[in-house]
């Protein structure tokens, strides 16, 4: 290329540069424009805030940009709240002249790039309220000119980089509402110019660094809602400029340092929700600028020693949920006090109503609830004329409500529930035109509800539950057009529901249960279109339900149980939001309407104790949310429809005391959430379905009084949560399955009046939670009572009567010291009763003849009785032997005497023929000599010879002598035997 061409090319370059300079200004601004257009292409801009970014306009006129005075550089980029999305463009870091970068309140995602450290001229960086994640880059510490750094309200995690301590010119540091963890870096103390430090709502832990006292310019320090622990450093008292200190909801412990009183400019102090203990330091009275003080939800104790004499700027005091004691000082308030809110709830304050508070004429909210305050409310309470909220609930205030309460014209909320207030509601209450809520429940108030109450036109909630109010509901109740809640349950109200109630069109909850109300429901109920809950149970309402009730679209809960309603049940066609319907204990008749299935959100359906007949409509299977179904005590028939198996959320199924028949459905085992199954007192037959073992959450299984047969399935042992098992009054046979030992939570077991046989399984002794009863009576059980039953130490009732049990009663049963009822009668038991059974009636052991011991005969007497029986037998045997022997001897003697008599007769006949009468005289003389000799021999002890000689004497009473001799022999023998 020659010199001419080179000159022309140089000229072209020069001209072109001039054109560019004329078009874009200097080179720096044109470069910035290039990068900004690249940035525009990377961001999503649904609102079109970047539409002005175009080469057709000067860069310094672009939206959100600020140029230097000479328009040479872009020094500020402010795109706050522009609904921009996407990640931070990397081209941004080429704008090295930037002093302000504000992308806050957008939808920016991704992380903060380390390249941010290239913006060395940056003084303000605002990235808060986006969706940024990741960690804060260490390179942020390179921004030495930075004065404002707000990157909170993002999803930033990890630790605060220590390099932040290098930003010595920083005045504002906002890192709140992120997910930062770790500790507060000690380098924070290097930020001597720091005015604003916001670290709240993170997961920061560890101690508050003592070095923070070096931040002498600090005015706002907020580190609430973290996990900071340890004590509040005493050095924090050196922050003389501090105006706001918020350390709420951490785990700080120890006492409140008295040095905090050095914060002479402090206006806001919040230490709630920590673990601080000890007394409130008296030195806090030095914080004369303090306006708001919250020390609630700690473990502070002692008395309240703050005085409004010193803290005259104090507007809010919150000491709730501590352990403060004593009474509130009488000089707590000055007459010119600025105190507006005083919350001292949930402490241990005592004494009467603090009269010193009546000087707090500026007081708007007073909460002394949940303390130990007592006595009557002062009649001068109306001095608190600005009071809007008075909360005195859960104390022991007594006496009646002072009529002067009607002078508190600004009162909006009156909470006096759970006290001991008596008397009636003063009619002056009707003067409270601003009253919105009045809660008087759980007191001892009586009298009628004054009609004047209905003059409180602003009332939205009335709760008089659990008092003794009588009379009728005010006829003018309908004047309360804004009423949302009317709770009058558990009183002594009588009469009908006033028709005007239907004009409370905003009413959502109506509770009139447990009263003496009567009559029918007013037709005006059709106007209660917002009504969601109505409970009228335990009254004397009667008649059919009004048709208008069925059209209320917002009804969720209906409980009309224990009344006298009659007629048929109609489906609530107007409402599919119904969640609970309870009509138990009324006189409804007819069939269950299939239209109830329209209420697809129904969770509780209770129609027990009525006169319903027919079968269960299969359409109820559409109630997928059904948890509680109670149709017991009706006249229902047929089989249980299989469609109910689709109600998989069922927890309570009560169909007892009806006339259901057929086999017990096996699909019951598919109801995995079933906790209570009550099918007793029906006509079910067949076997107990083994599939019930799949209902692992079952707590109560009651199938008694049916016609069930077969064996108890072994799968019953899978019901490990079972508390109650009642299978009595069926025809079950076979043995008791030993798997029942797996039902370790059983406290009631009834298997009586069946045909069960075999021994009582010893495994029952492992059911150590059995308490209410173990009833195996009236079966065919045999064998011995297992000693393991002695391990049922909690058992209160044991019935094994009318079986075939035998053997000795195990001594281990004596350990059952909790027994209050015992029946072992009509078995074949023997042996001694444990001494602990002595307090039971003898009827508990009837039909067991071989049992002994108190309360039966003692076992010693029983043994003696057996010995006596043996002795008597022996005596009888001996007597029989003696009688037999004596009889034989007598017969032998008679025979001998007859022989001798015959011989003598021959001699006498012979002598008579020889000597006549002299023979008789001779015999007499011989007889007399024998008697004389016999007497002598008897005295010498020769007893049997005397008797023999007597036997030889002829006499007319010969037979009598023989018989008396025989009887004498028997008597002598008996005397020897002790008879």
């Amino acid at each position: 290329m020659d010199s001419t061409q080179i000159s022309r090319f140089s000229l072209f370059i020069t001209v072109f540069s001039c054109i560019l300079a004329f078009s874009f200004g200097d080179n720096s601004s044109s470069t910035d424009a290039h990068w900004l257009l690249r940035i525009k292409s990377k961001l999503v801009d649904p609102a079109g805030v970047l539409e002005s970014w175009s080469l057709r306009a000067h860069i310094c006129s672009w939206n959100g940009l600020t140029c230097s005075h000479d328009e040479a550089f872009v020094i500020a980029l402010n795109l706050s709240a522009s609904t921009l999305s996407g990640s931070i463009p990397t081209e941004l870091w080429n704008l090295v002249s930037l002093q302000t970068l504000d992308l806050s309140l957008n939808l920016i995602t991704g992380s903060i790039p380390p390249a941010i450290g290239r913006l060395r001229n940056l003084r303000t960086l605002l990235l808060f309220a986006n969706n940024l994640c990741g960690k804060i880059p260490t390179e942020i510490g390179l921004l030495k000119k930075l004065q404002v750094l707000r990157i909170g309200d993002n999803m930033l995690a990890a630790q605060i980089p220590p390099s932040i301590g290098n930003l010595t010119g920083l005045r504002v540091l906002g890192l709140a509402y992120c997910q930062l963890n770790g500790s507060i870096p000690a380098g924070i103390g290097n930020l001597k110019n720091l005015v604003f430090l916001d670290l709240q709502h993170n997961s920061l832990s560890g101690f508050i660094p003592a070095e923070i006292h070096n931040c002498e310019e600090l005015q706002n320090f907020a580190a609430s809602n973290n996990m900071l622990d340890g004590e509040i450093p005493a050095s924090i008292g050196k922050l003389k400029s501090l105006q706001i200190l918020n350390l709420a909801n951490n785990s700080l412990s120890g006492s409140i340092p008295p040095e905090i009183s050095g914060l002479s400019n402090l206006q806001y102090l919040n230490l709630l929700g920590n673990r601080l203990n000890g007394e409130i330091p008296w030195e806090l009275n030095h914080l004369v600028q303090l306006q708001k003080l919250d020390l609630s939800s700690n473990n502070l104790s002692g008395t309240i020693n703050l005085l409004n004499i010193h803290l005259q700027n104090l507007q809010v005091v919150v000491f709730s949920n501590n352990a403060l004691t004593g009474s509130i000082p009488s000089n707590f308030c000055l007459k010119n006090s600025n105190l507006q809110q005083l919350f001292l709830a949930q402490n241990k304050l005592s004494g009467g109503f603090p009269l010193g508070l009546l000087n707090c004429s500026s007081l708007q909210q007073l909460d002394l609830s949940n303390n130990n305050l007592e006595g009557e409310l002062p009649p001068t309470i109306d001095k608190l004329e600005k009071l809007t909220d008075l909360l005195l609930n859960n104390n022991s205030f007594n006496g009646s409500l002072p009529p002067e309460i009607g002078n508190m014209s600004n009162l909006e909320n009156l909470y006096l529930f759970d006290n001991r207030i008596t008397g009636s509601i003063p009619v002056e209450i009707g003067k409270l035109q601003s009253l919105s809520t009045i809660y008087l429940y759980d007191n001892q108030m009586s009298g009628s509800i004054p009609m004047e109450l209905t003059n409180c036109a602003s009332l939205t909630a009335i709760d008089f539950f659990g008092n003794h109010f009588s009379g009728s509901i005010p006829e003018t109740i309908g004047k309360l057009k804004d009423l949302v809640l009317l709770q009058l349950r558990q009183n002594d109200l009588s009469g009908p529901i006033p028709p005007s109630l239907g004009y409370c069109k905003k009413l959502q909850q109506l509770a009139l249960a447990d009263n003496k109300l009567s009559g029918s429901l007013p037709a005006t109920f059709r106007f209660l279109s917002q009504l969601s809950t109505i409970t009228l149970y335990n009254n004397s309402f009667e008649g059919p339900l009004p048709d208008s009730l069925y059209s209320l679209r917002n009804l969720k809960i209906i409980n009309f149980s224990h009344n006298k309603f009659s007629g048929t049940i109609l489906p609530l066609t107007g409402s599919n939001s119904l969640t609970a319907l309870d009509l138990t204990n009324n006189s409804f008749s007819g069939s269950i309407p299939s239209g109830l299935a329209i209420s697809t959100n129904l969770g509780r359906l209770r129609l027990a104790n009525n006169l319903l007949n027919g079968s269960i409509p299969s359409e109820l299977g559409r109630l997928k949310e059904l948890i509680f179904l109670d149709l017991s005590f009706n006249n229902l028939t047929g089989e249980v429809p299989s469609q109910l198996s689709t109600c998989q959320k069922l927890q309570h199924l009560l169909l007892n005391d009806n006339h259901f028949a057929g086999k017990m459905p096996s699909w019951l085992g598919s109801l995995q959430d079933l906790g209570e199954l009550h099918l007793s007192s029906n006509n079910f037959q067949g076997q107990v379905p083994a599939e019930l073992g799949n209902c692992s959450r079952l707590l109560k299984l009651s199938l008694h009084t049916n016609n069930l047969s077969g064996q108890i399935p072994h799968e019953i042992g899978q019901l490990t949560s079972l508390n109650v098992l009642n299978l009595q009054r069926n025809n079950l046979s076979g043995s008791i399955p030993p798997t029942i030992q797996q039902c370790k939570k059983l406290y009631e077991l009834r298997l009586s009046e069946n045909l069960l046989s075999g021994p009582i399984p010893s495994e029952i002794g492992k059911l150590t939670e059995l308490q209410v009863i173990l009833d195996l009576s009236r079966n065919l059980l045999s064998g011995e009572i297992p000693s393991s039953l002695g391990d049922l130490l909690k058992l209160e009732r044991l019935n094994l009567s009318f079986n075939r049990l035998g053997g000795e009663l195990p001594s281990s049963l004596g350990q059952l010291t909790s027994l209050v009822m015992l029946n072992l009668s009509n078995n074949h038991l023997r042996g001694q009763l444990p001494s602990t059974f002595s307090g039971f009636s003898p009827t508990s052991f009837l039909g067991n003849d071989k049992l002994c011991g108190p309360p039966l005969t003692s076992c010693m007497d029983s043994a003696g009785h057996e010995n006596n029986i043996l002795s008597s037998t022996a005596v009888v045997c001996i007597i029989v032997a003696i009688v037999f022997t004596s009889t034989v001897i007598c017969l032998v003697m008679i025979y001998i005497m007859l022989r001798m008599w015959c011989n003598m007769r021959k001699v006498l006949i012979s002598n008579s023929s020889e000597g006549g009468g002299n023979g008789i005289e001779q015999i007499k003389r011989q007889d007399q000599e024998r008697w004389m000799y016999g007497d002598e021999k008897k005295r010498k002890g020769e007893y049997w010879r005397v008797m023999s000689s007597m036997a030889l004497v002829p006499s007319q009473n010969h037979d009598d002598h023989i018989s008396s001799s025989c009887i004498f022999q028997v008597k002598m023998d008996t005397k020897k035997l002790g008879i």
Side-chain angles (χ1 to χ4, degrees):
M1 182 179 296
D2 56 18
S3 59
T4 304
Q5 290 176 330
I6 293 174
S7 299
R8 289 177 179 176
F9 181 76
S10 300
L11 179 61
F12 173 77
I13 293 298
T14 302
V15 172
F16 183 75
S17 300
C18 291
I19 293 171
L20 286 178
F22 179 78
S23 301
F24 298 105
D26 60 33
N27 187 49
S28 298
S29 60
S30 64
T31 304
D32 287 349
H34 168 75
W35 295 121
L36 287 168
L37 290 175
R38 294 283 302 271
I39 291 169
K40 175 183 177 180
S41 66
K42 297 289 182 67
L43 293 173
V44 179
D45 178 21
V49 295
L50 303 180
E51 286 183 0
S52 62
W53 289 22
S54 170
L55 292 178
R56 292 190 298 270
H58 192 279
I59 186 173
C60 294
S61 66
W62 291 4
N63 182 40
L65 297 186
T66 302
C67 294
S68 58
H69 292 297
D70 57 1
E71 297 185 349
F73 306 100
V74 175
I75 61 173
L77 175 58
N78 185 351
L79 297 175
S80 176
S82 300
T83 66
L84 299 173
S85 60
S87 59
I88 299 176
T90 55
E91 291 80 1
L92 190 61
W93 317 127
N94 293 306
L95 303 177
V96 293
S97 298
L98 275 181
Q99 298 176 19
T100 299
L101 175 58
D102 187 354
L103 298 178
S104 64
L105 298 164
N106 280 291
L107 302 171
I108 307 295
T109 56
S111 60
I112 302 174
I116 198 171
R118 293 166 56 182
L119 303 179
R120 301 294 177 89
N121 292 307
L122 209 58
R123 288 172 171 79
T124 300
L125 176 58
L126 305 176
L127 300 177
F128 64 89
N130 279 286
N131 295 320
L132 296 170
C133 58
K135 63 180 182 178
I136 300 172
T138 304
E139 288 78 3
I140 209 163
L142 300 174
L143 307 178
K144 298 294 182 64
K145 296 180 180 180
L146 203 60
Q147 296 178 10
V148 178
L149 175 59
R150 293 185 62 191
I151 55 177
D153 199 4
N154 280 288
M155 294 183 288
L156 299 172
Q159 298 183 1
I160 300 173
S163 60
I164 276 189
N166 299 332
L167 306 177
T168 54
L170 204 61
R171 295 179 60 81
V172 176
L173 176 58
L175 304 178
Y177 294 93
C178 289
Q179 300 169 13
L180 300 172
N181 53 43
S183 59
I184 301 173
I188 211 86
N190 299 332
L191 310 181
K192 299 183 183 299
N193 296 307
L194 198 63
V195 174
F196 182 96
L197 176 59
D198 190 358
L199 305 176
Q200 59 188 338
H201 287 275
N202 280 288
S203 299
L204 299 172
S205 57
F207 298 168
I208 298 172
E211 291 82 355
I212 200 168
H213 77 272
N214 293 324
C215 304
E216 296 177 354
E217 301 295 323
L218 195 60
Q219 296 178 16
N220 187 332
F221 177 30
S224 62
N225 296 90
N226 280 285
M227 297 184 290
L228 300 172
D229 53 23
E231 297 185 356
I232 299 173
S235 59
I236 208 167
K238 298 179 180 180
L239 300 174
K240 304 295 183 181
S241 300
L242 200 63
Q243 297 176 13
I244 296 175
L245 176 58
N246 187 355
L247 303 177
N249 295 316
N250 281 285
S251 298
L252 299 171
S253 57
S255 59
I256 300 172
E259 290 82 0
I260 226 168
S261 62
L263 305 175
S264 55
N265 290 300
L266 197 65
Q267 298 176 19
Y268 179 96
L269 175 59
N270 191 346
L271 303 178
L272 81 87
N274 282 284
R275 300 175 184 174
L276 300 171
N277 53 39
E279 297 187 0
I280 300 172
W282 187 90
E283 289 81 358
L284 292 187
N285 284 299
H286 295 153
L287 301 176
V288 294
Q289 300 297 324
L290 197 62
Q291 297 177 15
K292 296 182 180 181
L293 174 61
D294 192 344
L295 305 180
S296 59
S297 299
N298 280 285
N299 299 316
L300 299 172
S301 57
T303 58
I304 297 173
N305 51 20
L306 295 183
L307 301 177
N308 194 232
I309 298 173
H310 306 287
L311 305 175
Q312 296 184 16
N313 292 307
L314 203 58
Q315 298 175 12
V316 179
V317 174
V318 187
F319 292 166
S320 301
N321 198 18
N322 278 288
L324 299 173
T325 56
S327 58
I328 300 171
S330 59
N331 56 348
F332 183 80
C333 268
L334 294 176
K335 289 186 178 181
N336 57 350
S337 165
N338 291 313
L339 192 63
Q340 297 175 11
Q341 297 173 316
L342 178 59
F343 301 103
L344 303 177
Q346 292 184 318
N347 279 285
K348 299 178 181 179
L349 299 174
S350 57
F353 183 90
L355 298 178
L357 293 182
L358 299 179
N359 294 324
C360 301
S361 55
S362 59
L363 203 60
Q364 297 176 13
Q365 294 177 308
L366 175 60
D367 186 357
L368 302 178
S369 61
N370 290 278
N371 278 287
N372 299 320
L373 301 173
E374 57 188 3
E376 298 186 4
L377 299 181
T380 53
I381 196 170
D382 58 347
K383 286 186 176 181
L384 301 174
E385 55 186 18
K386 294 184 180 180
L387 204 64
T388 60
D389 299 294
L390 178 59
L391 289 77
L392 303 178
N393 52 284
N394 296 91
N395 280 287
S396 298
F397 290 114
N398 53 37
S400 58
L401 285 182
E404 290 80 4
I405 205 168
N407 298 328
M408 304 173 71
S409 57
N410 291 303
L411 198 61
E412 296 176 6
N413 298 297
L414 178 59
Y415 291 1
L416 299 177
F417 60 88
D418 203 0
N419 278 285
R420 300 174 183 173
I421 297 174
T422 57
S424 59
I425 301 174
V427 295
E428 289 80 1
I429 203 89
K431 294 165 26 177
L432 301 178
Q433 294 298 304
S434 299
L435 191 64
S436 174
T437 303
I438 178 169
Y439 284 174
L440 303 179
Y441 62 85
D442 283 328
N443 278 288
Q444 300 170 19
M445 302 187 72
S446 57
S448 60
I449 299 174
M451 191 171 295
E452 288 79 3
L453 182 65
T454 62
N455 293 331
C456 302
S458 300
L459 269 175
T460 61
I462 297 175
D463 193 340
F464 294 166
F465 165 85
N467 281 282
H468 305 291
F469 292 116
S470 58
S472 59
I473 300 171
E475 290 289 339
T476 54
I477 192 77
K479 291 167 61 178
L480 302 177
K481 304 298 183 183
D482 293 327
L483 196 62
V484 175
L485 166 67
L486 179 58
Q487 169 64 273
L488 302 178
R489 185 182 155 217
Q490 280 193 18
N491 281 283
D492 297 318
L493 299 171
S494 58
I497 297 175
S500 70
L501 183 61
Y503 301 116
C504 300
K505 295 182 180 180
K506 294 183 180 180
L507 195 63
Q508 296 179 17
Q509 298 181 48
L510 175 60
L512 305 179
D514 296 306
N515 278 286
K516 300 174 182 177
L517 299 169
S518 58
S520 58
L521 302 187
T524 53
F525 265 30
R526 67 181 181 275
F527 301 128
L528 301 177
S529 58
Q530 296 187 34
L531 194 64
S532 64
T533 300
I534 177 170
T535 57
L536 306 180
Y537 57 87
N538 287 336
N539 279 288
S540 298
F541 292 114
E542 57 189 9
L545 300 180
D547 294 343
S548 57
L549 183 69
Y550 294 100
S551 62
L552 299 180
R553 296 182 177 275
N554 293 307
L555 270 177
K556 294 182 179 180
I557 298 174
I558 299 176
N559 191 338
F560 292 172
S561 64
H562 294 84
N563 278 285
K564 300 177 182 178
F565 289 115
S566 58
T568 57
I569 301 172
L570 299 177
L572 282 88
T573 54
S575 174
N576 62 357
S577 59
L578 193 68
T579 60
L581 175 61
D582 192 342
L583 303 178
T584 58
N585 286 91
N586 280 285
S587 298
F588 290 109
S589 57
S591 59
I592 300 172
S594 59
L596 285 175
I598 295 174
S599 304
T600 53
N601 292 311
L602 198 61
R604 296 172 66 88
L605 177 58
R606 304 193 65 179
L607 305 177
N609 287 92
N610 279 286
L611 305 172
L612 300 173
N613 53 37
S615 58
I616 300 175
S618 59
E619 289 81 359
L620 294 188
R622 300 177 194 167
L623 302 176
K624 308 299 184 185
E625 301 299 319
L626 200 61
I627 294 174
F628 203 122
L629 178 59
D630 185 0
L631 305 178
S632 59
F633 294 96
N634 278 288
N635 298 315
L636 299 172
T637 56
E639 296 187 358
V640 181
S642 59
Q643 288 82 356
L644 287 183
S645 63
T646 61
C647 302
Q648 287 293 303
K649 293 185 179 181
L650 259 181
Q651 297 177 14
H652 304 269
L653 180 57
L654 286 72
L655 304 179
N656 53 289
D657 292 272
N658 279 285
H659 305 292
F660 293 116
K663 291 185 177 180
M664 194 162 288
S666 59
W667 53 259
L668 290 170
S670 67
L671 303 177
Q672 297 296 306
D673 290 336
L674 201 62
E676 181 181 14
L677 179 59
H678 204 341
L679 303 181
S680 58
S681 298
N682 280 288
N683 297 317
F684 289 113
Q685 51 188 299
Q687 296 185 342
V688 177
E691 290 81 358
L692 286 179
N694 298 327
C695 301
S696 57
R697 298 182 181 178
L698 203 60
L699 301 176
K700 181 177 181 180
L701 176 59
S702 183
L703 308 179
H704 71 81
T705 320
N706 279 287
N707 296 316
L708 300 173
S709 57
Q711 296 186 346
I712 301 173
H714 287 267
E715 289 80 0
I716 209 81
Q718 298 174 19
L719 304 178
T720 54
S721 298
L722 202 62
N723 297 147
V724 176
L725 177 59
N726 191 342
L727 302 178
Q728 64 186 11
R729 298 192 190 98
N730 280 287
N731 297 314
L732 299 172
S733 57
S735 58
I736 300 172
T739 55
I740 203 169
Q741 66 174 309
Q742 296 166 215
C743 305
K744 295 187 182 298
K745 296 183 179 179
L746 268 179
Y747 62 76
E748 181 177 341
L749 177 57
R750 300 176 188 264
L751 303 178
S752 63
E753 297 183 60
N754 280 286
L755 303 172
L756 299 173
S757 58
I760 299 174
S762 60
E763 290 83 356
I764 285 184
K766 296 181 180 180
L767 303 177
T768 53
E769 295 300 315
L770 270 177
Q771 179 176 353
V772 177
I773 193 170
L774 171 59
D775 189 355
L776 306 179
S777 64
R778 297 183 184 275
N779 279 287
L780 304 174
L781 299 172
S782 57
E784 297 184 351
I785 297 175
S787 60
S788 61
L789 293 192
D791 296 331
L792 307 179
L793 301 180
K794 297 180 181 179
L795 194 62
E796 296 176 355
R797 294 171 178 82
L798 175 62
N799 192 348
L800 305 179
S801 63
F802 290 95
N803 278 288
R804 300 174 180 177
L805 300 171
E808 292 191 0
L809 203 64
S811 59
S812 61
L813 294 187
Q815 300 171 192
L816 304 181
T817 55
S818 297
L819 281 179
V820 295
M821 190 281 284
L822 175 66
N823 194 349
L824 304 178
S825 64
N826 295 287
N827 280 287
H828 308 298
L829 302 170
R830 66 172 185 270
Q832 184 171 359
L833 294 174
S835 59
T836 52
F837 286 3
S838 60
F840 292 107
S841 169
T843 56
S844 298
F845 312 103
L846 283 178
N848 295 283
D849 297 334
K850 295 185 180 180
L851 284 177
C852 62
L856 305 176
T857 57
S858 70
C859 294
M860 292 293 293
D861 292 342
S862 179
H865 179 65
E866 290 183 5
N867 290 336
N868 287 341
I869 292 173
L870 292 173
S871 299
S872 299
T873 303
V875 168
V876 170
C877 293
I878 292 170
I879 290 174
V880 170
I882 291 172
V883 169
F884 177 76
T885 305
S886 301
T887 304
V888 171
I889 292 172
C890 289
L891 290 174
V892 171
M893 290 178 67
I894 290 171
Y895 173 75
I896 293 173
M897 290 174 68
L898 287 173
R899 289 289 303 273
M900 290 176 65
W901 183 79
C902 290
N903 292 333
M904 288 175 64
R905 184 174 178 82
K906 289 179 181 181
V907 172
L908 288 173
I909 293 172
S910 174
N911 290 337
S912 175
S913 61
E914 292 177 2
N918 293 333
I920 295 174
E921 293 178 358
Q922 186 179 356
I923 290 172
K924 287 182 179 180
R925 284 196 299 271
Q926 291 176 354
D927 189 59
Q928 290 174 357
E929 289 176 0
R930 288 191 181 94
W931 276 107
M932 289 173 64
Y933 293 143
D935 286 340
E936 290 177 0
K937 292 178 180 178
K938 184 177 180 180
R939 284 195 295 269
K940 293 180 181 178
E942 296 180 3
Y943 176 80
W944 291 106
R945 290 186 180 179
V946 172
M947 293 302 295
S948 300
S949 61
M950 288 174 61
L952 297 175
V953 177
S955 172
Q956 293 179 354
N957 297 325
H958 181 73
D959 293 337
D960 293 337
H961 284 292
I962 293 172
S963 61
S964 34
S965 173
C966 292
I967 291 170
F968 184 74
Q969 297 275 347
V970 173
K971 285 182 179 178
M972 288 297 293
D973 290 340
T974 7
K975 284 181 180 177
K976 289 179 183 177
L977 294 170
I979 301 302

